[in-house]
Amino acid sequence: MTAQTAHNHSDKHKSCKELLGDLSLYIDGEAEADLCQEIEQHMADCENCRVVVDTLAKTVFLYHGLEHNRMPGEARRRLYKALDLSDYLDEPDPASSSTNRKADCP
Amino acid sequence: MLYLFSKGETDESLYQEPASKPMTDHVAPENTIDVEALRAGDRAAFARVVSLYADRLYNLALKLTGDSLEADDVVQEALISAFKNIRHFEGRSHISTWLYRITHNAAMMRLRKKRVDTVSMDAPLQLDSGDMVPRQFFDWCCLPEKELVSSETAAYMEAAIQQLPEPLKEVFVLRDIEGLSTAETGEVLDLSIPAVKSRLHRARLFLREQLSEYFADHARGIDQ
């Protein structure tokens, strides 16, 4: 962040802060059309906010894709035993596998 | 065998079923669960639920506790408690939402026990208003894919979740990791939809800061 961009960011601080609270609505695709337009116009003039929006969307995207931790085999055996279901212990149901999703990045 | 409650301590509110049944894609396997068989004590139906949800509940418990051994115990406690209290499940909500709720409660009880001498987890969420102000402006979106999805990055992302304050972490894990809807997350945690959205947003901003710092350091390391 250069001194110049820092200055510009400071000048727009109020509108940047106002914008900030709505960014999740925007990246989730839940923002009204007017708000989307306002955010996009703001980003066109404010490089820092553009970076924040893009990196926030990317953060959500990366976390949506983060591999789910599966219960270790030994823990699974203990679980089935504790539930008195050892006779049902088999490979995990395919339907319960990772639910990785793509983010709704704008 | 572990039990969530000792004799006479059962708090039935912990097993209260969320009122509505929101429709989201992650609950599709529920169509194959026979709730009546569950309520009748059918072991095969229980086994089906465990097979479908053990991994998801483990992932939630691990994210909340940050400890694999604790997560094992939490899932065990939660499923035992769920099956003991299956009479409280009337099918008004998805069983997955109900199980997430019980697992979350089991995890929180363990965390509370570990933090008896620290700040109450029931205290109002008080975060410095400054936590919302971005400080990192490094644009890492266009870094090579192999750096964004490396195992090192994944480990950092996992560690960053553990740095979130509990009220933000539980919302973030349910919404952005487990993929529950805003409404379902609110039902699991007894939070209003605006509260879920607000906490989710704060969590995301916090994690963005962490990742931005990480990638900025990484980029500096590459340049040197």
Side-chain angles (χ1 to χ4, degrees):
Chain A
M1 187 178 181
T2 65
Q4 183 61 42
T5 57
H7 177 72
N8 289 343
H9 194 70
S10 176
D11 285 348
K12 298 174 192 168
H13 194 60
K14 187 175 179 184
S15 59
C16 292
K17 280 191 75 173
E18 287 172 349
L19 171 105
L20 191 64
D22 293 323
L23 293 187
S24 276
L25 290 178
Y26 178 70
I27 67 172
D28 287 341
E30 295 177 1
E32 299 290 337
D34 288 354
L35 179 58
C36 283
Q37 188 177 8
E38 191 179 349
I39 289 172
E40 283 160 11
Q41 281 178 351
H42 183 101
M43 283 195 294
D45 294 334
C46 182
E47 174 65 7
N48 281 342
C49 282
R50 183 200 62 77
V51 170
V52 170
V53 171
D54 286 351
T55 53
L56 185 66
K58 198 74 173 182
T59 297
V60 174
F61 176 81
L62 290 180
Y63 272 104
H64 281 182
L66 191 63
E67 192 168 337
H68 282 201
N69 299 98
R70 303 187 71 161
M71 178 172 270
E74 184 54 39
R76 187 181 305 277
R77 280 187 285 277
R78 283 198 301 273
L79 174 66
Y80 275 74
K81 185 176 180 183
L83 295 167
D84 192 24
L85 294 173
S86 293
D87 47 328
Y88 288 94
L89 182 58
D90 201 348
E91 289 299 307
D93 193 304
S96 67
S97 62
S98 174
T99 56
N100 291 353
R101 303 168 298 143
K102 291 192 183 301
D104 302 322
C105 294
Chain B
M1 186 176 290
L2 296 169
Y3 288 94
L4 182 56
F5 298 105
S6 57
K7 290 176 184 174
E9 283 185 312
T10 300
D11 179 354
E12 295 196 351
S13 68
L14 294 177
Y15 306 102
Q16 281 178 353
E17 187 180 347
S20 62
K21 185 183 282 191
M23 297 299 292
T24 50
D25 58 356
H26 75 282
V27 293
E30 304 232 358
N31 296 335
T32 65
I33 294 172
D34 185 342
V35 175
E36 285 309 310
L38 274 178
R39 290 168 60 82
D42 184 310
R43 292 177 67 249
F46 285 158
R48 174 81 178 143
V49 169
V50 176
S51 174
L52 283 172
Y53 294 111
D55 281 330
R56 291 181 178 184
L57 301 179
Y58 175 78
N59 192 53
L60 171 64
L62 182 60
K63 294 289 188 297
L64 293 177
T65 64
D67 183 309
S68 60
L69 294 178
E70 292 270 20
D72 293 347
D73 287 345
V74 163
V75 174
Q76 192 172 120
E77 289 174 5
L79 284 172
I80 289 170
S81 299
F83 294 154
K84 281 176 66 183
N85 289 278
I86 191 67
R87 67 184 183 283
H88 294 291
F89 183 75
E90 297 173 354
R92 294 196 310 274
S93 69
H94 287 296
I95 196 162
S96 58
T97 311
W98 188 64
L99 292 173
Y100 276 125
R101 182 183 176 96
I102 295 171
T103 303
H104 167 264
N105 288 336
M108 289 301 107
M109 286 182 72
R110 278 184 168 263
L111 291 174
R112 279 195 182 98
K113 283 178 185 172
K114 289 172 68 175
R115 298 175 188 172
V116 168
D117 297 327
T118 60
V119 177
S120 166
M121 293 178 65
D122 293 327
L125 176 59
Q126 291 181 336
L127 294 172
D128 181 354
S129 59
D131 74 320
M132 291 284 284
V133 178
R135 294 182 176 82
Q136 301 286 338
F137 299 100
F138 173 65
D139 189 356
W140 47 272
C141 283
C142 299
L143 286 175
E145 189 76 4
K146 65 178 183 181
E147 290 177 33
L148 293 177
V149 297
S150 70
S151 57
E152 180 190 340
T153 300
Y156 186 88
M157 290 167 64
E158 293 273 6
I161 293 173
Q162 296 308 317
Q163 294 179 44
L164 281 167
E166 296 294 345
L168 304 190
K169 179 163 67 174
E170 59 191 18
V171 169
F172 180 78
V173 171
L174 287 168
R175 269 295 275 120
D176 277 351
I177 303 292
E178 289 302 314
L180 270 65
S181 69
T182 301
E184 288 170 323
T185 301
E187 288 166 7
V188 170
L189 301 175
D190 270 337
L191 289 174
S192 67
I193 285 179
V196 170
K197 288 185 175 182
S198 171
R199 292 185 188 192
L200 177 67
H201 185 50
R202 283 168 173 258
R204 286 171 170 181
L205 287 173
F206 177 90
L207 293 170
R208 189 206 73 87
E209 289 291 313
Q210 301 297 308
L211 284 187
S212 296
E213 191 174 337
Y214 168 78
F215 285 122
D217 288 347
H218 198 68
R220 276 194 290 271
I222 290 171
D223 288 343
Q224 288 171 359

